[in-house]
Amino acid sequence: QQSTFSPLRERLRELRRNGTPEIVFGGVVLAVVGIDYYLQQRNDQQRSEMIRQFEEEVKQDEEVSRKEERELINNNGGAAMKPKFQCVVRVVPQQFDGHKCLTNLKVGDVVNVLQEGVGPDNKYNLCSIERLVDSSTAAEEKHNISVGWFPCSCLEKIEQTAPKK
């Protein structure tokens, strides 16, 4: 048995002496690093593609929302824009943005409620606010109507009093 294992032992000693284990170990490390780099690149590409698709969907949804808003303002001579009642903004939520949301409001602003109970769980009102747009001359006053959802819990209804005769 000694004689049959001797050539094998000699061969292993020779491989250790000439650096073969280090070369194999280095090759394995390089292969693992290369595979990891490839997988990271593929994940980055997939992530970029998902983000691009998401941005495209948001852009399309914004366009639909703007179209609906224009139709609401222009249909029937603005009949759809007749407010049901008015509310005062009592609280402006910190994390409140989106293309369907009525933004850039301040506490104390008066909004017109066009439709009640819209959006997720019917917790929003469709509101409009007329804003003065800065123009080049004071004589040219332009009004811009913004329409969007605003949380019902942040609004306080203004009680309308009957006009006295």
Side-chain angles (χ1 to χ4, degrees), residues 46-91:
Q46 288 174 342
R47 186 176 299 119
S48 295
E49 180 62 21
M50 285 173 40
I51 289 171
R52 188 195 63 74
Q53 287 176 352
F54 180 68
E55 287 173 344
E56 185 66 30
E57 288 175 14
V58 168
K59 184 179 175 183
Q60 289 173 354
D61 199 26
E62 286 175 344
E63 288 173 8
V64 168
S65 181
R66 283 193 298 269
K67 182 181 176 189
E68 290 172 353
E69 185 177 311
R70 280 192 305 273
E71 288 174 357
L72 180 68
I73 292 171
N74 295 330
N75 280 351
N76 302 326
M81 292 290 291
K82 293 208 174 20
K84 293 184 176 186
F85 54 89
Q86 290 186 318
C87 287
V88 176
V89 176
R90 289 297 173 209
V91 177

Side-chain angles (χ1 to χ4, degrees), residues 5-153:
F5 287 115
S6 283
L8 183 60
R9 283 186 186 172
E10 283 299 316
R11 179 81 174 132
L12 289 174
R13 272 192 210 136
E14 179 63 27
L15 290 174
R16 268 188 264 154
R17 191 173 59 82
N18 69 13
T20 301
E22 289 84 2
I23 292 171
V24 170
F25 179 74
V28 168
V29 168
L30 281 174
V32 168
V33 167
I35 290 169
D36 182 57
Y37 177 77
Y38 167 76
L39 293 174
Q40 285 181 4
Q41 291 298 320
R42 191 177 73 184
N43 284 344
D44 289 346
Q45 287 174 348
Q46 288 174 342
R47 186 176 299 119
S48 295
E49 180 62 21
M50 285 173 40
I51 289 171
R52 188 195 63 74
Q53 287 176 352
F54 180 68
E55 287 173 344
E56 185 66 30
E57 288 175 14
V58 168
K59 184 179 175 183
Q60 289 173 354
D61 199 26
E62 286 175 344
E63 288 173 8
V64 168
S65 181
R66 283 193 298 269
K67 182 181 176 189
E68 290 172 353
E69 185 177 311
R70 280 192 305 273
E71 288 174 357
L72 180 68
I73 292 171
N74 295 330
N75 280 351
N76 302 326
M81 292 290 291
K82 293 208 174 20
K84 293 184 176 186
F85 54 89
Q86 290 186 318
C87 287
V88 176
V89 176
R90 289 297 173 209
V91 177
V92 177
Q94 289 181 349
Q95 297 291 327
F96 187 65
D97 61 354
H99 61 276
K100 291 191 176 200
C101 301
L102 188 59
T103 55
N104 299 324
L105 293 178
K106 298 182 288 287
V107 173
D109 283 348
V110 176
V111 296
N112 297 316
V113 176
L114 308 174
Q115 187 178 352
E116 294 180 89
V118 298
D121 299 327
N122 298 325
K123 292 185 178 182
Y124 298 87
N125 286 339
L126 180 63
C127 301
S128 69
I129 186 167
E130 192 170 337
R131 302 172 194 219
L132 219 54
V133 178
D134 293 336
S135 58
S136 57
T137 63
E140 257 183 51
E141 284 190 357
K142 292 185 179 180
H143 295 275
N144 185 15
I145 298 175
S146 298
V147 178
W149 293 353
F150 202 79
C152 300
S153 60

